[in-house]
Every structure is written in structure tokens, then in C-alpha cells.
Amino acid sequence: MSLVELIAQADERGLAASGLACLDRCVPLLGGDDEILRPLWASLTDDAGTGDWGEGLEQARGKLDVAGTGDEAVVLAQRMLEAAPAERSHAGVRVWADACSVAALQIHRLLDTAQDGASSVDVRREGRTEGMSPLVAAELRRQITILEVLAGHGPAGLRRALEVSIEGRRVLRAVVSRRSRQRS
């Protein structure tokens, strides 16, 4: 099943986790630490209160660097954070999760030293993967894995989704670090 199809079939929690995971993997671009989005992840559990999502989002926005920059990858990450819905409604998180998916793939495409053979990331999301660059391929696999885990396991899949996201964050942090060393 393509990423587009998985997003179309996801429930509210799956959509929120999908968007959050995309943002979480891109936190190194915003100067955030590994724990900055932990309250948002906790807000996706069955035990969370209805206002936990909004509170966690405000805390994250207050701590992450959203100052203007000319770097396209950073701008895309900032937009993901800014576009996060204050209320976790199905309609709001669907639009956000879809936009985060595109933005995260585009960020990985911009940061990959290998060329991606597609004209846009949309063809990757639809399942056409020939000539895909390694960083984009890994991000696409992570997005698909997270949606599949949550569809198959519901709230019990949150831990695995977070683990997949942490792995991707470490990869992106290394790419960002290497990129900054090359620019110096």
C-alpha cells in the first residue's frame, strides 16, 4: 500500500502520530533536543487528557527555534511546527499529517547528497520508488512503518512508532552535523 493510501485510511491517533513523527525526525533542524516533543507523544496515549496535545504543542513551540532563516530545509521544519493543529481533531490532523509527510520527504531530499530521480516527492508517496535517493528512501520507509504499526496495533504501537522516529532523528542529526561541518 502506498503512503498516500495509508494516510487516507489512518485514524486520528495514527494521523497525529504520523505528523508528529515527521516533525520529531526534523527537530535537529530546529535546534531541539531529543525530549522536546515527548509531551506530545504522551498526549497520544489512552490515558492522556483532552488538553494535553495543545499544552504540549505550545511548550514545544516556545522551546524550538522558529526564527526566520534562509535555509529551505529549516523553513520546511518550521512550517511543520507552526501548522500543527492546536486541537487534535480528525480533520485537522489529517491535513497536517499529509503536509508533514510531504515536508519531511522534501527535507530529506534537500539534505541528501545523492540525487533523487523523481520530479517531486509526490511520486514517492504514491509508491514509485525507482531511482530514489537513500535518505529519501529511508524516510519513506519510516513513514510507512509508523502508519502500518499504528494501524495494526493502535495505542500499543506508539512505542514502536517513537522508536522508528528516534532512529530517523539520529540519522538526520548526523546529516545536519556533517552538512554544517562542510559549510564551515
Side-chain angles (χ1 to χ4, degrees):
M1 194 176 300
S2 76
L3 180 58
V4 171
E5 293 168 325
L6 288 168
I7 289 172
Q9 293 179 5
D11 64 7
E12 179 186 307
R13 184 189 330 260
L15 291 168
S18 175
L20 179 57
C22 289
L23 176 60
D24 196 5
R25 288 188 296 280
C26 295
V27 157
L29 292 166
L30 300 175
D33 65 33
D34 291 348
E35 299 298 317
I36 199 96
L37 297 178
R38 200 60 94 146
L40 285 168
W41 282 104
S43 76
L44 298 177
T45 65
D46 285 338
D47 299 336
T50 56
D52 289 355
W53 171 267
E55 290 173 24
L57 183 59
E58 285 309 307
Q59 288 174 3
R61 284 179 176 151
K63 293 177 183 175
L64 290 171
D65 178 18
V66 291
T69 178
D71 187 292
E72 188 178 354
V74 174
V75 169
L76 287 169
Q78 290 167 336
R79 287 183 187 157
M80 273 194 270
L81 178 61
E82 292 167 4
E87 211 173 281
R88 214 182 84 199
S89 69
H90 191 266
V93 291
R94 176 170 301 286
V95 170
W96 182 61
D98 195 53
C100 286
S101 169
V102 171
L105 286 166
Q106 185 61 29
I107 287 167
H108 284 75
R109 186 177 188 180
L110 289 167
L111 297 176
D112 204 333
T113 55
Q115 291 295 316
D116 188 78
S119 58
S120 76
V121 295
D122 290 332
V123 298
R124 303 308 186 200
R125 295 176 72 232
E126 294 165 359
R128 293 177 290 204
T129 59
E130 309 84 36
M132 194 168 14
S133 66
L135 202 57
V136 174
E139 173 60 15
L140 181 66
R141 277 192 307 274
R142 284 183 195 96
Q143 289 187 27
I144 289 170
T145 299
I146 285 169
L147 286 163
E148 287 175 343
V149 164
L150 290 165
H153 302 285
L158 282 171
R159 179 183 283 309
R160 177 68 183 131
L162 179 58
E163 290 168 357
V164 169
S165 189
I166 289 169
E167 170 198 341
R169 186 180 342 115
R170 287 181 183 142
V171 168
L172 195 65
R173 190 174 306 283
V175 169
V176 168
S177 176
R178 182 180 68 229
R179 185 178 185 216
S180 94
R181 281 193 310 271
Q182 289 173 345
R183 287 183 173 177
S184 309

